[in-house]
């Protein structure tokens, strides 16, 4: 299974890019664990939401699936990813880095269009 802690610097860069693009609300990484990343968006703090972080998670049971989820746990998008070179024969068409990039973009897109 892919350990998201190995990509902590890259994840922080991606979230920092979203922070620079959002003129109204701050984006930050709250925590990075082996299979779960919590991404905080300032607007959810403003709304005093109980769950105030978007989630990136690796599903250990399902293989190397990267899940992007809303704070309430609702699925935004999922990606079959691999470390190293993509292998379409396995159905893994993205590297973990491209999957993370796409997932963070989807989270930001959802944040701005859902809330």
């Amino acid at each position: 299974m892919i350990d998201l802690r190995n990509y902590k610097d890259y994840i922080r860069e991606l979230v920092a890019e979203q922070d620079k693009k959002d003129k109204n609300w701050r984006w930050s990484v709250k925590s990075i664990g082996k299979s779960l990343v919590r991404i905080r968006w300032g607007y959810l703090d403003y709304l005093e939401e109980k769950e105030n972080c978007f989630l990136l998670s690796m599903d250990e049971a399902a293989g190397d699936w990267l899940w992007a989820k809303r704070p309430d746990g609702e699925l935004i998008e999922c990606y079959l990813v691999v470390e190293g070179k993509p292998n379409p024969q396995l159905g893994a068409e993205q590297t973990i880095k491209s999957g993370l990039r796409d997932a963070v973009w989807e989270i930001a897109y959802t944040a701005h269009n859902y809330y």
Side-chain angles (χ1 to χ4, degrees):
M1 181 169 135
I2 296 172
D3 186 340
L4 294 174
R5 295 174 295 192
N6 295 334
Y7 299 92
K8 65 182 177 187
D9 293 336
Y10 185 65
I11 293 167
R12 290 183 194 285
E13 286 176 29
L14 294 171
V15 174
E17 286 176 22
Q18 293 306 319
D19 186 52
K20 287 179 187 174
K21 291 178 185 177
D22 193 330
K23 303 297 181 201
N24 299 312
W25 304 103
R26 181 157 161 60
W27 288 87
S28 62
V29 175
K30 183 174 181 180
S31 64
I32 300 175
K34 180 177 181 178
S35 62
L36 182 68
V37 175
R38 298 172 57 79
I39 299 171
R40 176 174 264 156
W41 183 42
Y43 183 65
L44 296 176
D45 293 330
Y46 171 77
L47 294 176
E48 297 180 357
E49 292 286 331
K50 182 179 177 184
E51 299 297 327
N52 63 353
C53 292
F54 288 88
L55 306 172
L56 290 175
S57 65
M58 294 296 301
D59 188 341
E60 195 169 325
D64 290 333
W65 284 94
L66 174 66
W67 304 85
K69 297 179 181 179
R70 293 190 333 216
D72 62 6
E74 186 75 26
L75 177 67
I76 296 172
E77 191 64 74
C78 62
Y79 308 89
L80 182 58
V81 295
V82 294
E83 288 185 296
K85 193 173 183 180
N87 187 348
Q89 292 175 336
L90 297 175
E93 299 176 359
Q94 290 189 297
T95 65
I96 182 64
K97 282 191 167 186
S98 63
L100 287 167
R101 183 191 63 234
D102 291 351
V104 170
W105 184 90
E106 285 288 348
I107 284 172
Y109 179 83
T110 299
H112 291 113
N113 289 288
Y114 180 79
Y115 294 92

